[in-house]
Amino acid sequence: MFRYEVPEGAQLIRVWINGKEWQVPEGLTMVQAMWHTGHEVIHGIGCLGGVCGACAAVYRMPGDFHLYNALACQTLVKADMAFSLIASFPSQRANYNIETLPDPKEGLFELYPESATCRNCNACTEVCPQGIDVRDSVWRAVFGDFKTVTEETMSCVMCGLCVSRCIAEMAPHEIALYARRAYGARELPFPENLKVRLEAVHAGSYDADLDRLGGLDPNLLKKECETK
Amino acid sequence: MTASGGLSSNPYDHVPSLDPSDPPKIEGSERQNLLSRYYPDYRPEHKSTLRVGCNKGDVVPDEISQILESRSLLETKVDRMVPKEPDADVDLLIIGGGGAGMTAALFAQESGAKVLLATKLRVGDSNTVMAEGGIQVALGGDDSPVNHFKDAYRGGHFVGKPDLLSVLVKEGPDVIGWLVRKGVLFDRDSSGNLSLRKGGGTSRPRLISAKDYTGLEIVRVLKEDLLNSGVAIWEFAPAVELLQGPEGSCAGAVFRDVDSGKLKWVKAKSVLLATGGTGRLHIGSFATSNHFGATGDGLVMAYRLGAGLINMDSFQYHPTGVIYPSEMAGMLITEAVRGAGARLYNKSGKRFVPELETRDVVAAAIIRECEEGRGVRTPAGHFGVYLDLASIDRDMGEGTVSKRFPNIVKLMGKHQVDCTVQPILVYPTLHYQNGGVTTDTMGHTSVPHLYVAGEVSGGVHGKNRLMGNSLLEVFVYGRRVGMIASEEAQKRNPFSWHEVSVTHVERFENELEREFPGTHLSEAPLLFPDYRNHPDNALA
Ligand SMILES: Cc1cc2nc3c(=O)[nH]c(=O)nc-3n(C[C@H](O)[C@H](O)[C@H](O)COP(=O)(O)OP(=O)(O)OC[C@H]3O[C@@H](n4cnc5c(N)ncnc54)[C@H](O)[C@@H]3O)c2cc1C
Ligand code: SF4
Ligand code: SF4
Ligand code: FES
């Protein structure tokens, strides 16, 4: 049976999970520490690989007034850490069709009018577990610089932690998603190499060859495919 | 500083000097020898012969026979009593909200069908969101779908199904166009073309990607459209059993709501299984790259209803899974890093396999190094080899690794490994189910009105999948089968709820009782792996 191993010689440390005190070996992630203490975690786990954003968590360290955030599947517990999962944070999502939207730049203000109300507190940037300059991305979106939004926010895992902190009550990650899609679908030209290949496929250029290969007896097919 | 900080024996304390000389070449018959001695599929241990069901006689890993020859989660008579009315009645029921399920739902909805998509976690929590490397699509001037076909057929050891492959390579460009028009941001070259990169086992550069966030980028976009589409969605609702209709057909499914524990019954004219893979079964005790819900549930449910499976002895152990720091065990380091020039070294700092060999060959070589004493020992007592990314920066310019693989750099960084200068310790990780439910080019299974798409299906990749062909399969077949299944649903002869039952479950269990009299068999589908503090769990 497979197990997530505790490193040899790991010391026990004290942590608080959802407000309750536990002893766990060091070297575990927050999620593993929850398993270790018998918690069944379903809301709050998706990929276990740091990309799905299901495992948003908040934590504090003693003697430190800061409230920290993390992805619980990727963050190691530390001695005296107190943490909780926030498996879902509600936010507004616009309903639109990116392909037919008349003017994507104007569209932002219709779909997300609150995007223009950023108060520059920078809380979103400070909270982002992916290290994204979220505040800047909101401003760039408002100014119509969707290209820069794209570059800044590509690693967003949609965990919603920025929403939990925004004093203007907006959903910066949804705004960024909109801006990225508008950039990809409406600003960038359709890629020429794909266009050319699509035309050839639709003209049936490969049908005869593929049909022939598909009709070969397995030994002949193997022979044809053997060399690169 | 490294992840284990003050802990005992840190494998980063004694990294040897890495000798860049070429690794030994692997010639003809050597490749086969290497595979049969070291690749888990070909080794005799931990295998059993199926005794029940339509694949009776097939040899499969123990973990697969355990889930296939298992008891139902509908344990009692009460559980099996069909309620007076179904909780939902739809044209197309899609089980699984990964890439294949989402794509199918969008196309089915567009065709006017009444669609319900039910999934185990949240929509998009899947193997699809984790895909890093990219998608194969033949766009190069000197490339074509025909070359793509040949590479995939060769890569699959000449047992992939040619008709499935033809569809895959021919419809590939269409689905990529669909994604691009939705605003999915695949990397571009300076002239605005989709950038094409080289992957293992292919004759031409053919891999398109969105940095190393390919799956995430696609899922963010498709999920937004799906949630806005009007498709009915049930989250945290794993399917536990399919429903049987007239003449052995499929007629819906039973779900168990995670929060209320209640069973929910769905009547459907067509059912599309898009439940993905099996990594979380930890076949052969391997760690896995897969998401939390990859427990092979679709295989179990389909098999009980009488659907045939193919190539269930064939799994992909991705050569480069993280083995240290141990809390990251199984996490994938994409093959694209080897495409870009990353190198593998054993304990003595020697290269031991050409890094761009097919995945199975590279994985077998790593296992060989570790079993023959040339692996690096981790504090948890496992062995691995070094995967060095620093050579990428040396060959292609400082900063290339951070630019092309920001996610890997970020994730390793969270565990105090700076992979732009330090090698990563890797060992093969259970990654992909090559086989699955037998299907044709329309997504049909051997059970009428039961369809499959994506990783749960088998046949197209033969016995080894090349990088990038799986995502392509997910979108090509998701689209195609989504449309076909809803069209055939609308044409299906009406049947009543009274004709629907789970008698196939009883039939299957009777067969089990005859073959394994008095034996305690475990329950399946597994739904969620359990890593909690049990007596046999090392975390205890
Ligand atoms: C880390 C990683 C990297 C990868 N990189 C690449 C790559 O670069 N290129 C490539 O081509 N391929 C890659 N792959 C493979 C590829 O991502 C998958 O094969 C593919 O995404 C599978 O898609 P799917 O829709 O069939 O399954 P999934 O995306 O896994 O979706 C299946 C869904 O069904 C749900 N489900 C499961 N059981 C049930 C149930 N009982 N009831 C309801 N819902 C259920 C799951 O929770 C999940 O949401 C990678 C895979 C992994 C894990
Ligand atoms: S931008 Fe917001 S949603 Fe995206 S990763 Fe950062 S905190 Fe999470
Ligand atoms: S948290 Fe909200 S108000 Fe503050 S900087 Fe970010 S977007 Fe602006
Ligand atoms: S579980 Fe997906 S990011 Fe943590």
Side-chain angles (χ1 to χ4, degrees):
Chain A
M1 191 198 139
F2 171 83
R3 305 141 169 201
Y4 285 98
E5 305 278 354
V6 172
E8 269 167 26
Q11 304 292 313
L12 284 182
I13 55 174
R14 179 171 59 168
V15 297
W16 280 265
I17 302 174
N18 296 331
K20 182 168 163 180
E21 186 181 326
W22 296 94
Q23 298 282 328
V24 299
E26 61 184 327
L28 302 184
T29 64
M30 292 171 165
V31 167
Q32 288 165 349
M34 292 185 78
W35 289 334
H36 180 83
T37 49
H39 291 77
E40 184 180 33
V41 195
I42 292 178
H43 290 274
I45 302 185
C47 64
L48 289 174
V51 291
C52 78
C55 61
V58 286
Y59 69 93
R60 279 193 200 271
M61 300 303 295
D64 180 351
F65 69 87
H66 286 292
L67 181 59
Y68 295 97
N69 292 81
L71 294 178
C73 74
Q74 294 302 313
T75 307
L76 297 179
V77 289
K78 292 184 265 199
D80 298 328
M81 176 189 248
F83 71 91
S84 303
L85 288 184
I86 353 177
S88 161
F89 201 92
S91 59
Q92 295 292 338
R93 173 177 25 79
N95 190 348
Y96 60 95
N97 181 336
I98 200 65
E99 292 172 59
T100 55
L101 212 65
D103 176 351
K105 287 193 175 152
E106 271 310 306
L108 174 68
F109 302 110
E110 280 157 32
L111 296 165
Y112 294 109
E114 70 278 21
S115 59
T117 65
C118 170
R119 288 189 266 156
N120 257 327
C121 71
N122 213 38
C124 51
T125 300
E126 283 166 23
V127 75
C128 178
Q130 294 294 81
I132 294 169
D133 190 342
V134 188
R135 184 199 63 86
D136 195 61
S137 74
V138 170
W139 281 101
R140 302 277 183 173
V142 169
F143 286 125
D145 180 2
F146 292 172
K147 179 167 190 279
T148 305
V149 179
T150 294
E151 286 156 8
E152 288 178 334
T153 64
M154 198 60 182
S155 67
C156 172
V157 294
M158 308 294 281
C159 66
L161 282 169
C162 50
V163 189
S164 75
R165 293 294 192 87
C166 179
I167 55 172
E169 297 167 299
M170 66 175 96
H173 66 312
E174 300 286 359
I175 293 169
L177 172 60
Y178 172 84
R180 283 195 307 271
R181 294 189 65 178
Y183 179 65
R186 304 295 290 275
E187 286 184 36
L188 284 176
F190 194 79
E192 190 60 26
N193 54 353
L194 178 56
K195 185 164 153 252
V196 169
R197 186 51 32 91
L198 277 170
E199 282 161 7
V201 168
H202 293 158
S205 311
Y206 310 106
D207 294 357
D209 277 342
L210 287 173
D211 288 349
R212 190 184 62 82
L213 288 175
L216 287 180
D217 116 340
N219 284 324
L220 287 176
L221 182 59
K222 180 171 178 191
K223 230 187 188 137
E224 283 224 23
C225 299
E226 223 144 29
T227 45
K228 276 197 192 173
Chain B
M1 209 195 94
T2 67
S4 67
L7 305 176
S8 66
S9 63
N10 179 336
Y12 280 108
D13 290 345
H14 308 284
V15 179
S17 67
L18 305 178
D19 171 4
S21 335
D22 285 348
K25 283 213 172 55
I26 302 181
E27 315 286 358
S29 66
E30 249 180 277
R31 181 172 283 113
Q32 208 40 56
N33 285 341
L34 181 65
L35 286 176
S36 48
R37 282 193 59 186
Y38 296 103
Y39 198 72
D41 281 359
Y42 305 106
R43 299 171 85 155
E45 63 267 21
H46 311 304
K47 300 284 157 67
S48 8
T49 306
L50 290 175
R51 285 154 67 177
V52 167
C54 45
N55 286 71
K56 204 184 294 184
D58 285 6
V59 176
V60 298
D62 291 343
E63 293 80 357
I64 294 295
S65 66
Q66 272 157 25
I67 61 162
L68 292 180
E69 295 172 331
S70 60
R71 289 178 300 123
S72 174
L73 290 178
L74 302 179
E75 288 173 66
T76 62
K77 279 216 158 52
V78 177
D79 289 342
R80 292 179 190 189
M81 258 170 39
V82 181
K84 275 205 189 70
E85 298 287 336
D87 294 286
D89 185 346
V90 296
D91 295 326
L92 176 60
L93 169 63
I94 298 171
I95 306 179
M102 287 196 277
T103 305
L106 285 167
F107 280 98
Q109 172 84 355
E110 220 172 86
S111 79
K114 183 174 176 198
V115 186
L116 168 64
L117 181 146
T119 193
K120 182 153 52 175
L121 297 157
R122 304 173 310 169
V123 167
D125 293 346
S126 59
N127 283 1
T128 303
V129 76
M130 305 184 79
E132 300 171 0
I135 311 183
Q136 277 202 47
V137 58
L139 300 182
D142 64 342
D143 198 4
S144 78
V146 181
N147 293 326
H148 189 175
F149 176 104
K150 291 183 179 172
D151 286 345
Y153 189 66
R154 182 180 60 253
H157 302 323
F158 311 103
V159 294
K161 286 196 187 164
D163 54 343
L164 295 179
L165 267 178
S166 267
V167 167
L168 180 76
V169 299
K170 207 155 83 181
E171 296 188 4
D174 272 327
V175 289
I176 301 304
W178 178 68
L179 292 172
V180 169
R181 282 192 302 274
K182 285 189 174 299
V184 170
L185 288 154
F186 295 113
D187 300 340
R188 306 283 188 111
D189 64 19
S190 51
S191 49
N193 283 323
L194 297 183
S195 300
L196 305 174
R197 302 212 156 97
K198 184 124 179 45
T202 64
S203 60
R204 311 279 196 285
R206 189 183 293 139
L207 201 66
I208 63 168
S209 43
K211 300 203 185 293
D212 56 353
Y213 295 111
T214 310
L216 172 61
E217 167 62 0
I218 296 171
V219 164
R220 285 186 301 222
V221 166
L222 292 186
K223 181 171 177 175
E224 183 173 53
D225 279 359
L226 180 65
L227 296 180
N228 284 336
S229 69
V231 167
I233 292 171
W234 291 357
E235 294 185 314
F236 297 100
V240 296
E241 213 65 82
L242 295 171
L243 289 174
Q244 189 173 47
E247 287 144 42
S249 65
C250 184
V254 189
F255 296 85
R256 192 167 76 194
D257 184 81
V258 163
D259 301 304
S260 66
K262 284 210 173 98
L263 295 178
K264 290 176 120 186
W265 298 67
V266 178
K267 175 172 186 257
K269 297 189 185 116
S270 288
V271 176
L272 170 52
L273 272 179
T275 47
T278 34
R280 291 277 154 196
L281 299 179
H282 294 290
I283 293 168
S285 297
F286 276 80
T288 185
S289 63
N290 285 193
H291 87 288
F292 189 59
T295 49
D297 303 349
L299 300 175
V300 176
M301 295 183 285
Y303 196 64
R304 270 189 203 141
L305 188 55
L309 311 179
I310 183 171
N311 296 337
M312 280 318 299
D313 55 347
S314 173
F315 293 84
Q316 186 157 74
Y317 298 82
H318 192 292
T320 55
V322 177
I323 189 76
Y324 176 86
S326 55
E327 76 277 2
M328 300 175 79
M331 203 190 89
L332 188 78
I333 305 295
T334 172
E335 176 176 306
V337 300
R338 281 176 289 129
R343 290 171 188 152
L344 289 163
Y345 298 91
N346 62 18
K347 179 167 91 177
S348 344
K350 296 268 187 258
R351 292 169 72 189
F352 53 88
V353 66
E355 284 83 1
L356 285 182
E357 275 287 346
T358 48
R359 288 181 173 177
D360 47 359
V361 170
V362 179
I366 294 174
I367 295 173
R368 178 194 63 202
E369 293 302 294
C370 293
E371 289 190 0
E372 294 183 353
R374 293 185 296 276
V376 186
R377 190 177 188 278
T378 74
H382 295 293
F383 289 89
V385 297
Y386 297 112
L387 174 68
D388 185 41
L389 276 57
S391 55
I392 303 177
D393 276 3
R394 275 199 301 277
D395 296 351
M396 303 175 61
E398 206 55 34
T400 309
V401 173
S402 307
K403 188 155 167 260
R404 282 215 26 217
F405 308 109
N407 189 35
I408 297 179
V409 174
K410 186 173 292 162
L411 288 175
M412 294 307 301
K414 282 190 178 163
H415 301 260
Q416 276 86 42
V417 177
D418 176 359
C419 65
T420 62
V421 292
Q422 286 171 299
I424 303 173
L425 266 176
V426 297
Y427 190 77
T429 182
L430 178 57
H431 185 52
Y432 187 77
Q433 164 194 310
N434 291 323
V437 180
T438 310
T439 183
D440 62 13
T441 57
M442 323 256 284
H444 295 135
T445 66
S446 50
V447 174
H449 293 281
L450 177 65
Y451 302 76
V452 284
E455 192 168 340
V456 67
S457 72
V460 65
H461 308 293
K463 297 213 177 204
N464 178 53
R465 167 189 70 107
L466 297 184
M467 170 188 194
N469 277 344
S470 162
L471 276 185
L472 186 66
E473 176 197 8
V474 159
F475 301 115
V476 164
Y477 280 94
R479 173 177 86 142
R480 200 178 154 83
V481 181
M483 292 192 296
I484 292 170
S486 29
E487 200 183 299
E488 293 183 352
Q490 282 155 8
K491 284 193 212 138
R492 180 173 186 177
N493 284 337
F495 60 94
S496 92
W497 184 238
H498 303 294
E499 295 173 84
V500 174
S501 73
V502 288
T503 46
H504 64 289
V505 174
E506 253 140 67
R507 210 170 43 234
F508 192 84
E509 284 180 346
N510 290 340
E511 215 185 314
L512 283 174
E513 187 50 42
R514 271 198 305 279
E515 273 303 318
F516 302 91
T519 314
H520 174 82
L521 297 170
S522 46
E523 284 180 358
L526 221 60
L527 309 185
F528 301 102
D530 192 351
Y531 301 111
R532 281 177 295 171
N533 197 353
H534 292 306
D536 61 344
N537 187 331
L539 283 179

